[in-house]
Amino acid sequence: MTPSLLARRAASPLRAAMLAVGLTAMLTLSLAFLGALSDTASAAVPNLQRASRSTLADSFAAKDRPVSCPAGTKLLSGGGSVSGGFGQVALDGIRLDAPLNSVTTRAFEDANGTGLNWSLNAFAMCADPLPGLVQIDATSADTSANKSVVASCPTGKQVVGAGGETSGGIGRVVLDDLTPSSDHTHVTVTGFEADGGTTDNWTITAHAICADPLPGLEVRVLASDFGSFDGQGVTETCSAGKKVVGAGGEITGGLGQVIMDGVTPNANLTSVTVNAHEDGNRTANNWNLTAYAICATA
């Protein structure tokens, strides 16, 4: 065997080993790149987080509480709750403030007032700005009658968040429904005059926050049993791998004598809890609660 052939044969295993190492490195880099692409694709709502703020617990007839999104993020939806009101304090509004930087909640003691110490909580769901993010508002006529109003997203966009408020009710109107539609197209808000009614004119406003379609977007819905309860709550949870981007709640059968006092996304944004109490006069009506969790891959 010639020396050159011996050299070539001796070098072949070395070249094969070097080629194997090179191919392994290239495969590792390719998998890492694909993994990075997968992570980017799954992060449909980057930097999603909940901001919260509360008032002191005392007995003032009316309170409001704003909470702002962290710098660099934009508002997706809001929530709010009354602690310690026990049906004598109405959650009057969850207002989504343009230009999508904050949420303001508002609550009023009922017409009879209360000596209870109560507090008001505001929640904002915020994230890096989503493509196509826009807020749509719709306000009802200014009358003294129970009413609903619908805020609809522009064609091609979907509801990611919801809010609603009354104006002029001042504790004599209750926020009965804050309902995102299952087809992601609109938000419906309903107000009922409280027991005893009011001759004052009032309006109700629906807020819909809309964006380009999000991966995995869903509206999860859970309703409680019907009955005549002093108070009750219901919690709906997102599907595995998804997080809450918006929240809503609905009372059925309360007819102004049941007060929604909480639409609360939990701190790690996996669920939404809706709470309500019968008013101070109670009611024999059977009623129930429904919790809405707008969820997306995050």
Side-chain angles (χ1 to χ4, degrees), residues 97-175:
D97 297 315
L100 299 176
N101 290 328
S102 64
V103 173
T104 299
T105 56
R106 187 175 59 243
F108 289 93
E109 294 183 358
D110 64 21
N112 298 320
T114 178
L116 295 170
N117 287 330
W118 57 277
S119 61
L120 177 63
N121 313 296
F123 306 103
M125 282 155 280
C126 311
D128 291 349
L130 297 179
L133 195 66
V134 63
Q135 179 172 327
I136 304 297
D137 303 322
T139 300
S140 71
D142 188 16
T143 63
S144 181
N146 299 332
K147 58 183 75 79
S148 294
V149 67
V150 176
S152 298
C153 287
T155 301
K157 297 185 186 295
Q158 297 181 328
V159 172
V160 296
E165 59 183 307
T166 74
S167 178
I170 315 177
R172 292 171 174 79
V173 176
V174 301
L175 196 63

Side-chain angles (χ1 to χ4, degrees), residues 148 175-181 188-190 192 221-224 226 232-234 247-255 258-263 272-276 287-293:
S148 294
L175 196 63
D176 191 80
D177 303 337
L178 173 57
T179 310
S181 66
T188 302
V189 180
T190 302
F192 275 91
V221 183
L222 184 64
S224 69
F226 275 90
Q232 61 171 317
V234 62
E250 180 180 7
I251 300 168
T252 302
L255 305 177
V258 178
I259 294 173
M260 191 185 303
D261 50 17
V263 179
V272 173
T273 299
V274 178
N275 298 97
W287 58 277
N288 83 331
L289 277 178
T290 301
Y292 294 86

Side-chain angles (χ1 to χ4, degrees), residues 204-259:
I204 193 159
T205 297
H207 304 292
I209 294 184
C210 313
D212 294 348
L214 288 176
L217 189 67
E218 63 178 1
V219 179
R220 300 272 293 176
V221 183
L222 184 64
S224 69
D225 293 333
F226 275 90
S228 183
F229 310 97
D230 179 14
Q232 61 171 317
V234 62
T235 299
E236 178 59 309
T237 302
C238 289
S239 302
K242 299 183 181 183
K243 294 282 190 177
V244 173
V245 295
E250 180 180 7
I251 300 168
T252 302
L255 305 177
Q257 290 189 265
V258 178
I259 294 173

